[in-house]
Amino acid sequence: MKKQYLLSLFLGLLLLHSCNEVPIHNAITCLSTAPSAEEQYLSSVFDSCKIIRLETTDDALVGGYIGKIKKTQDAYYMACDFNFLLKFDKDGKFLQKIMKLGNGPGEYNAIRSYDILPNGDFIICDVQRAHVYDRDWNHKKTVSLGVYGFDIRTVDEDKFLLCTMSGEYLVYLFDLDGNVLSKLIETENLPSTSSSVSLLFLGKNHVIQRIGNSNSLVCYDINTGLFSDILFLCDGNFMTNEEEMALKKQQPTPNEKGLWGESDFMGLYPATNIITRTHACEDYLVFRAGSKSNGLKNYLLNSHSRKIEHVFTNKTVNDLYFLPTSTLMNRLYNSSAPDCFITYAGVDEIQVGLDKNSALQESKQYRKLKQELAGITNPEDENPVLIELYVK
């Protein structure tokens, strides 16, 4: 497959709202170096693990679906069940529940995504709308977007990126008045996918968007306002976006929903190397790559040096919070935190994991976690705990 040079995903053009043609600036082309050996223990990847027990009250109950977790200097925000936000302080004490469902002024139909502006204001991505609230949740404005957004990322005090699979384009850059400043990646020829659509930070100055399961991504430079094409892996015979499109056109959509999922693609093309789940904090990015035939591995990439520092698999022993390592990539959140990844686990899950990993009971982390969860008699009734994973 083509791996020696950068393929253009978007025909080298960024379509601006004014319809002026602007060349894409290819500042980043290839992110990774050769991967290192697989780690035996998760503590070799993450230096430390902090458990935050969330207060459990009637108002503070976390929903069945957690859409997004944001960490600020003094609080955690969790979007639950598409309709409310919970705010906890840095120690897990419940502070506030934000729920403004409805069609009136300052109300939303659903929280598709949300983010926090540099001045502390909040922006919620609703159904074809965006709502701006101040830090005390007083409504400031609502703007029409005209497209259904899946994820939203603020890039400065008055601009945000929105990704969508229902519009004419995949990625839009808006200002806070709802004006489209730029848009790219026409969706007409993109196959429908059931993969999550997320905007991820790559260091402080870049936001990246993965498309499908290929090795090709688009990158937005916050400082210059330019988009570029990048590849995650420079070697390993990984599929490009053009090759993914060609393979999918050879087959009808494989399920009744007409969507291409990760397992669908691997089932039809078991020997093809793909990129799957991708998560980021500010300083690091982790992604899963490989094939059904050869197996999948997880790669931890330093966003500043652009080098892969660690590789781990489902066989890597989770000696930090003792759940199967296979659950980690399904539960990581793109927190934008500067120093850690954030995940979660049920108290009852951790207790079961501790029992199954009793061979590690002499470890400092095992004893610490056992002590922190001691005395909880009804773990299934507790809110999940947040888990911060700090990279070495």
Side-chain angles (χ1 to χ4, degrees):
M1 295 193 182
K2 306 173 182 70
K3 58 185 179 179
Q4 301 299 324
Y5 58 90
L6 179 65
L7 291 174
S8 174
L9 282 174
F10 318 115
L11 305 179
L13 297 175
L14 174 64
L15 299 178
L16 294 183
H17 182 54
S18 61
C19 296
N20 292 330
E21 295 182 352
V22 178
I24 290 179
H25 174 60
N26 289 310
I28 307 171
T29 57
C30 223
L31 294 184
S32 67
T33 58
S36 57
E38 298 170 19
E39 303 291 359
Q40 184 177 359
Y41 293 98
L42 205 59
S43 59
S44 299
V45 181
F46 301 103
D47 181 48
S48 61
C49 169
K50 180 181 179 182
I51 304 294
I52 301 96
R53 284 185 60 186
L54 301 178
E55 183 180 1
T56 304
T57 65
D58 290 342
D59 289 336
L61 291 178
V62 173
Y65 172 75
I66 303 173
K68 196 172 192 177
I69 300 174
K70 293 283 292 185
K71 177 188 178 184
T72 64
Q73 187 174 0
D74 56 2
Y76 298 94
Y77 295 88
M78 304 173 67
C80 302
D81 295 339
F82 296 104
N83 57 32
F84 65 94
L85 282 169
L86 295 176
K87 180 182 180 182
F88 298 88
D89 72 10
K90 62 181 180 180
D91 298 315
K93 181 180 179 181
F94 174 67
L95 297 177
Q96 189 178 11
K97 181 176 182 178
I98 300 99
M99 189 170 182
K100 297 177 178 288
L101 281 173
N103 295 306
E107 296 178 334
Y108 53 77
N109 297 123
I111 302 177
R112 304 292 302 178
S113 182
Y114 73 99
D115 206 358
I116 304 173
L117 291 156
N119 65 0
D121 287 353
F122 290 80
I123 183 167
I124 284 181
C125 172
D126 193 0
V127 181
Q128 295 195 349
R129 299 182 299 173
H131 308 275
V132 181
Y133 305 85
D134 66 19
R135 63 184 63 211
D136 296 317
W137 286 96
N138 299 306
H139 179 246
K140 296 180 71 172
K141 66 165 62 177
T142 293
V143 296
S144 176
L145 303 177
V147 292
Y148 289 88
F150 285 96
D151 196 20
I152 192 169
R153 287 284 174 177
T154 59
V155 293
D156 59 28
E157 63 276 0
D158 60 358
K159 298 184 187 70
F160 61 90
L161 288 167
L162 185 80
C163 61
T164 172
M165 286 296 287
S166 65
E168 183 182 356
Y169 293 84
L170 182 63
V171 179
Y172 291 80
L173 179 66
F174 286 92
D175 66 17
L176 289 183
D177 292 322
N179 298 311
V180 178
L181 304 178
S182 59
K183 51 190 177 182
L184 70 160
I185 315 176
E186 290 187 88
T187 57
E188 181 180 357
N189 296 317
L190 289 179
S192 298
T193 175
S194 60
S195 301
S196 60
V197 183
S198 299
L199 294 159
L200 312 170
F201 274 102
L202 181 65
K204 293 182 178 180
N205 300 319
H206 296 90
V207 179
I208 61 172
Q209 163 70 58
R210 181 171 64 85
I211 309 166
N213 295 301
S214 77
N215 191 25
S216 306
L217 302 92
V218 63
C219 178
Y220 176 77
D221 189 314
I222 295 174
N223 290 333
T224 65
L226 296 173
F227 290 89
S228 60
D229 302 337
I230 61 175
L231 302 177
F232 256 154
L233 295 169
C234 309
D235 48 19
N237 202 30
F238 280 83
M239 178 179 60
T240 65
N241 184 63
E242 288 183 352
E243 291 163 336
E244 180 177 12
M245 297 304 105
L247 288 175
K248 288 182 175 180
K249 286 179 180 178
Q250 295 175 15
Q251 296 280 348
T253 49
N255 57 52
E256 60 184 16
K257 293 183 179 180
L259 299 175
W260 279 92
E262 173 186 316
S263 59
D264 299 317
F265 194 91
M266 289 194 295
L268 287 171
Y269 304 107
T272 301
N273 287 322
I274 62 174
I275 308 290
T276 64
R277 297 185 180 273
T278 310
H279 306 281
C281 59
E282 188 174 286
D283 293 335
Y284 286 89
L285 185 145
V286 63
F287 60 94
R288 182 181 291 167
S291 68
K292 183 176 181 179
S293 298
N294 299 319
L296 295 167
K297 297 181 180 180
N298 305 307
Y299 297 85
L300 183 77
L301 183 140
N302 186 308
S303 298
H304 303 286
S305 68
R306 309 281 161 75
K307 293 182 178 179
I308 291 174
E309 295 186 354
H310 297 283
V311 180
F312 61 99
T313 70
N314 289 348
K315 295 181 180 180
T316 301
V317 177
N318 183 351
D319 57 341
L320 293 175
Y321 59 99
F322 304 96
L323 264 67
T325 303
S326 58
T327 66
L328 175 61
M329 292 298 287
N330 297 330
R331 295 188 182 181
L332 277 181
Y333 284 87
N334 303 314
S335 66
S336 307
D339 54 357
C340 67
F341 289 95
I342 296 179
T343 184
Y344 74 93
V347 174
D348 52 340
E349 290 181 301
I350 296 178
Q351 290 182 339
V352 170
L354 288 167
D355 292 340
K356 289 183 176 180
N357 289 275
S358 57
L360 300 172
Q361 61 185 332
E362 297 303 318
S363 72
K364 180 180 179 180
Q365 180 63 15
Y366 188 101
R367 296 196 304 270
K368 177 184 177 182
L369 201 51
K370 195 81 171 177
Q371 183 177 4
E372 286 184 11
L373 301 182
I376 299 177
T377 56
N378 297 303
E380 65 277 0
D381 296 329
E382 293 283 317
N383 262 337
V385 299
L386 295 183
I387 303 166
E388 294 185 346
L389 297 172
Y390 292 83
V391 181
K392 281 184 176 292

